[in-house]
Amino acid sequence: MKKIFTRVLALMLLFAVVMSFGVHDSASAASYPYVHLDRDYLDKDYYVGDIVAINYAYSPAYKNEKLQFDIYDSSNTLVYTVTRTYYNSSIGFKNDVVSWNSKGATPGTYSVVVTKYFYSLYNWNEAPTQTTGSFKLQDASLKPHWVQESNGKWRYKKGNSYVKNSWQEIDGKWYHFDSEGYMQTGWVKSGSSWYYFASNGVMQTGWKQISGKWYYFNSSGAMQTGWQQISGKWYYFDSSGAMKTGWVKSGSSWYYFDSSGAMVTGWKKISGSWYYFNSSGAMQTGWQQISGKWYYFNSSGVMQTGWLHYNSKWYYFDSDGAMLANTSRTIGSKEYHFDSSGVCTNP
């Protein structure tokens, strides 16, 4: 009886150990999920001496598991192996990266094999599924690089030839090369748009002051003209791209832009006179009701003060431009009366 109890106890302990390591049955192992290799990394142009980055994602199926990464050259010779072990993994996608320094390697096509293992019964067991991928490693001499010619100008070489008459993105920045392959600086017209390149050849975006004038280049580098809303403010650029300040006529309306180039709205004192610009920036003329008060602006947009003879009637505007109405006012030595419409009843 004691022996039977001992055996039962041993079996119970073994079962508890097995369960603690999250062992699955053979059917679960057969459907073990694959590791996902990020093609954006493997499909890059790699050259001998580069660090090859193998970015991967996978979903753990077991509590304790490990991934073995093997890299083989074109002759199927193992050139690198590394293991990543994950203990007490929780369910859910995981992302990680394996890096290999290709210094001294031979150019060619390399394959990546990922083997997965899960832990059960005190042993690492190989999962029946593998993930494979490949990448190309080119000769280091073909790696794109800058070349400065004897004339001091720069060219960019890719493979065995120079980039010519085209755009090229280098280290996240855009450059343009002429028909002889020289890096361009200053103003360049490409297609129907103008672009500007700094002295180091980098295409400019955003605000740029050039020869004392301000220009704006959109996120694609194209010089802007006409009306442009930038950071919530409106600006106007003439046909040459130069930002305008002061008075600008657009369509049938006049607009005013302050020294920063931003379009003015509301009240603005200009050269000693007051003007009013509506919410669209257009200068107002004639009768305007603003904040419950009536004002009059002449044909030039200047706010009226004092007496105004309009349609055979007389009106009077205070120094702040507001029309008098429903009141009497002594002006000079005479008292005048103004009705609800602002008309003087005893001019």
Side-chain angles (χ1 to χ4, degrees):
M1 188 68 177
K2 185 176 181 180
K3 290 182 178 180
I4 295 175
F5 176 77
T6 302
R7 290 180 180 177
V8 171
L9 180 60
L11 288 172
M12 290 177 66
L13 289 172
L14 179 60
F15 178 76
V17 170
V18 169
M19 291 303 291
S20 69
F21 281 94
V23 177
H24 292 226
D25 57 25
S26 59
S28 297
S31 59
Y32 201 100
Y34 286 87
V35 172
H36 172 72
L37 298 178
D38 192 337
R39 298 304 315 177
D40 288 339
Y41 282 76
L42 293 179
D43 290 342
K44 287 177 57 178
D45 290 328
Y46 286 108
Y47 300 86
V48 174
D50 284 348
I51 301 297
V52 177
I54 304 172
N55 196 37
Y56 65 93
Y58 80 105
S59 180
Y62 294 84
K63 188 174 181 181
N64 301 291
E65 52 189 41
K66 65 181 178 180
L67 306 176
Q68 180 175 313
F69 293 80
D70 296 319
I71 299 179
Y72 298 88
D73 63 15
S74 54
S75 63
N76 206 35
T77 300
L78 180 66
V79 297
Y80 182 72
T81 184
V82 65
T83 300
R84 293 291 174 83
T85 304
Y86 299 91
Y87 294 107
N88 298 316
S89 296
S90 58
I91 301 301
F93 277 102
K94 297 183 181 297
N95 293 278
D96 210 339
V97 63
V98 166
S99 299
W100 171 54
N101 189 339
S102 66
K103 183 178 181 181
T106 302
T109 299
Y110 286 72
S111 58
V112 180
V113 178
V114 185
T115 306
K116 292 165 288 184
Y117 298 85
F118 59 92
Y119 193 80
S120 68
L121 297 177
Y122 301 103
N123 289 303
W124 285 104
N125 301 273
E126 182 177 341
T129 56
Q130 287 185 327
T131 300
T132 60
S134 63
F135 62 90
K136 291 183 179 180
L137 194 63
Q138 302 180 62
D139 191 282
S141 64
L142 299 177
K143 188 173 185 177
H145 60 282
W146 288 99
V147 176
Q148 189 174 28
E149 304 292 356
S150 58
N151 59 9
K153 296 182 178 181
W154 289 93
R155 305 170 87 184
Y156 193 71
K157 193 172 186 179
K158 293 181 68 177
N160 294 313
S161 60
Y162 291 99
V163 176
K164 294 182 179 180
N165 200 33
S166 65
W167 290 89
Q168 181 66 46
E169 186 179 18
I170 305 171
D171 296 329
K173 298 177 180 179
W174 284 97
Y175 300 79
H176 196 274
F177 298 85
D178 65 19
S179 58
E180 295 182 353
Y182 290 118
M183 178 192 79
Q184 294 187 273
T185 60
W187 289 104
V188 172
K189 189 174 185 180
S190 177
S192 60
S193 297
W194 283 94
Y195 300 82
Y196 190 82
F197 299 85
S199 58
N200 62 358
V202 175
M203 181 194 77
Q204 301 297 286
T205 60
W207 289 102
K208 182 71 176 178
Q209 190 176 35
I210 305 169
S211 300
K213 296 180 180 180
W214 284 98
Y215 298 81
Y216 188 79
F217 303 87
N218 67 14
S219 58
S220 299
M223 181 195 78
Q224 301 298 282
T225 60
W227 288 98
Q228 299 295 328
Q229 188 177 34
I230 304 168
S231 300
K233 298 180 179 180
W234 283 98
Y235 299 81
Y236 190 83
F237 302 86
D238 65 20
S239 58
S240 71
M243 181 192 78
K244 299 293 289 182
T245 59
W247 290 104
V248 171
K249 189 175 185 180
S250 177
S252 60
S253 298
W254 283 94
Y255 300 81
Y256 191 83
F257 300 84
D258 63 23
S259 58
S260 71
M263 182 191 76
V264 169
T265 60
W267 290 101
K268 180 70 175 178
K269 191 174 186 179
I270 304 169
S271 300
S273 297
W274 283 98
Y275 298 80
Y276 188 80
F277 303 85
N278 67 13
S279 58
S280 299
M283 182 195 77
Q284 302 298 282
T285 60
W287 290 98
Q288 300 294 329
Q289 189 177 35
I290 304 168
S291 301
K293 298 180 180 181
W294 282 97
Y295 299 81
Y296 187 83
F297 302 87
N298 67 19
S299 58
S300 298
V302 175
M303 181 190 76
Q304 177 75 38
T305 59
W307 288 104
L308 171 68
H309 194 226
Y310 183 85
N311 285 347
S312 302
K313 297 177 182 179
W314 285 96
Y315 301 82
Y316 191 85
F317 298 85
D318 259 339
S319 58
D320 65 355
M323 181 191 76
L324 297 185
N326 275 330
T327 189
S328 296
R329 174 72 61 85
T330 299
I331 303 171
S333 59
K334 182 179 178 180
E335 184 178 53
Y336 296 90
H337 306 286
F338 302 89
D339 65 17
S340 61
S341 299
V343 175
C344 179
T345 59
N346 61 327

